[in-house]
Amino acid sequence: MNILLVAVGAAVGAPLRFLVDKHMVGRLLLGTRIETPLPWGTFAVNVLGSFVLGLLTGVGNQTIALLVGVGFCGAFTTYSTFAAETHGTGRVRASREGRAHVVLNLGAGLLAAVGGALLT
């Protein structure tokens, strides 16, 4: 049963990540197809996922933790893409942008997680 909960959560999280990264951020938030200095799609999904995980800190239900925390957030957020984009940003662009990418992602993710936890 546990693996099914994780799989169902992941089945929702993965396509939603794609939509946020490719469509919502690219079209709605930035309003342009011009390349931006930082990968905002990965930033958006990681901060939103951190917020959701923060909200889950007050939930003691294992079913919800598996479905939403492990399944949904595990598929929705992407540390590996963050690492790859950070590496690319640091090599291709000025190292200041690479450092900004790391500080923004980690700082905003931590603040989002704490904010979510404070709401529970």
Side-chain angles (χ1 to χ4, degrees), residues 1-119:
M1 177 67 170
N2 289 348
I3 196 158
L4 291 176
L5 291 169
V6 173
V8 169
V12 174
L16 189 58
R17 173 181 155 210
F18 173 79
L19 292 172
V20 169
D21 187 25
K22 300 298 179 204
H23 298 290
M24 291 182 67
V25 172
R27 292 185 186 157
L28 299 177
L29 296 179
L30 301 177
T32 180
R33 291 191 181 255
I34 298 171
E35 186 178 337
T36 60
L38 295 175
W40 293 110
T42 302
F43 174 78
V45 297
N46 285 341
V47 172
L48 288 170
S50 295
F51 179 74
V52 171
L53 286 172
L55 289 173
L56 289 177
T57 60
V59 176
N61 187 320
Q62 183 182 3
T63 301
I64 293 174
L66 288 170
L67 178 69
V68 179
V70 178
F72 174 78
C73 288
F76 183 66
T77 62
T78 172
Y79 186 77
S80 59
T81 302
F82 164 65
E85 289 173 346
T86 299
H87 180 68
T89 302
R91 280 187 20 187
V92 176
R93 299 182 182 110
S95 61
R96 181 174 59 187
E97 288 180 10
R99 287 191 302 270
H101 179 59
V102 171
V103 169
L104 281 173
N105 269 274
L106 297 178
L110 181 59
L111 288 174
V114 169
L118 290 174
L119 291 176

